[in-house]
Amino acid sequence: MQELTPETITGAVLDQMSTTTDPRLKQIMASAVKHLHAFAMDVNLTPAEWIKGIAFMTEVGKICTPARQEFILLSDTLGLSALVNGLHDNTAMEEGTHTSLLGPFYREASPALAAGSQIAKTVKAGSEIVLYGHVSDVNGRPIANATVSIWQTGASGLYDIQENAAAIDYRGVFSTDANGLYLLRTVRPIGYSIPMDGPVGDMVRAQKRHGMRPAHIHFLVGAPGYRELVTALYLRDDPHLEDDVVFGSSGDLAVDIAPKDADCPIKGLPSIRFDMRLSRETAADKAGGRVGADPSAILKQPA
Ligand code: BEZ
Ligand code: FE
């Protein structure tokens, strides 16, 4: 019988798993085992540390509900979600606007609003801005009737559903016109903290990180024949643009609020222009697979 040692155990596990018939599962599991074993060897993982890790993952699982996905938050704060998004961008047929995190606060049930509508139910004096831009293909040809879903935090730095699960505020769905233009009014987004009251928050604090996301507005843009775009714009002057706790902000998604913009279709308000270019859809895109996930779709509440 083969003697199992730290030097031979990896090979033994890979041998035993080599009967896996699904080739992609086989590849993923073999790589996961190799990297997990290499990690344990690298840090010389002790039994006490191993059990602490198990306890941590158990807490991450226990706090998950249909409205809260702590595993995604863990993935976000470890940069894994941003990495997977970047790898997904690399598979696009053409280089369109880069993706950013969907985050846990997207909801299918958002109101369809007419062009130019204000998405916030209450607007504090001086906070109103116009948000507009063109949705086009990668060659700049306008895409009419694209669906542009927008969501952001309100003045409290919370999403509507964090304050009241049934509330709808600071979100809406718009359609582009014949020139690919989308146009709405909203309020200045403000930066906010990710949920810090769970095990991921404990981890972030232990690492002396701040837990903040820079001010941003989320977009989900779709049009027949194009790859769905999940992205966000980030305010360039936010102090956390460079150290977003979930690594979603990146230079090419940073925007400024222009005090005056002669091209803005609504006059007399500061505005943000954010144009988006969609890549054509591939066969793999047609099969589905959103960049990000609605927590309620991952874990349904027991009946
Ligand atoms: C968000 O932008 O909504 C978000 C993304 C990742 C974690 C928490 C929030
Ligand atoms: Fe967000």
Side-chain angles (χ1 to χ4, degrees), residues 234-253:
Y234 293 87
L235 294 193
R236 205 186 309 276
D237 62 1
D238 190 288
H240 293 300
L241 191 68
E242 298 291 341
D243 60 1
D244 180 357
V245 68
V246 295
F247 309 95
S249 59
S250 86
D252 53 349
L253 300 176

Side-chain angles (χ1 to χ4, degrees), residues 90-126:
N90 288 347
T91 67
M93 189 183 278
E94 301 151 317
E95 193 176 350
T97 300
H98 291 160
T99 55
S100 189
L101 304 178
L102 182 76
F105 304 115
Y106 169 69
R107 287 297 175 266
E108 297 269 347
S110 285
L113 300 174
S117 299
Q118 169 58 256
I119 61 170
K121 296 226 159 71
T122 45
V123 177
K124 277 210 295 202

Side-chain angles (χ1 to χ4, degrees), residues 16 33 61 91 97 112 122 144 184 223 235 247 258 260 288 299 301:
Q16 198 176 110
V33 165
T91 67
T97 300
T122 45
L184 60 130
L235 294 193
F247 309 95
K260 274 202 182 101
L299 181 65
Q301 198 92 263

Side-chain angles (χ1 to χ4, degrees), residues 105 151 153 159 192 213 216 218:
F105 304 115
W151 67 106
T153 51
Y159 287 87
Y192 62 87
R213 294 222 65 204
H216 60 275
H218 292 273

Side-chain angles (χ1 to χ4, degrees), residues 228-301:
E228 181 181 75
L229 174 65
V230 174
T231 194
L233 61 78
Y234 293 87
L235 294 193
R236 205 186 309 276
D237 62 1
D238 190 288
H240 293 300
L241 191 68
E242 298 291 341
D243 60 1
D244 180 357
V245 68
V246 295
F247 309 95
S249 59
S250 86
D252 53 349
L253 300 176
V255 295
D256 299 294
I257 299 181
K260 274 202 182 101
D261 169 3
D263 295 332
C264 181
I266 298 176
K267 308 291 176 210
L269 286 172
S271 60
I272 297 176
R273 177 174 179 167
F274 187 56
D275 293 333
M276 278 164 285
R277 292 154 96 88
L278 305 190
S279 163
R280 276 173 297 156
E281 188 176 49
T282 63
D285 295 333
K286 279 195 186 75
R290 178 163 284 167
V291 175
D294 178 343
S296 64
I298 298 176
L299 181 65
K300 301 256 185 259
Q301 198 92 263

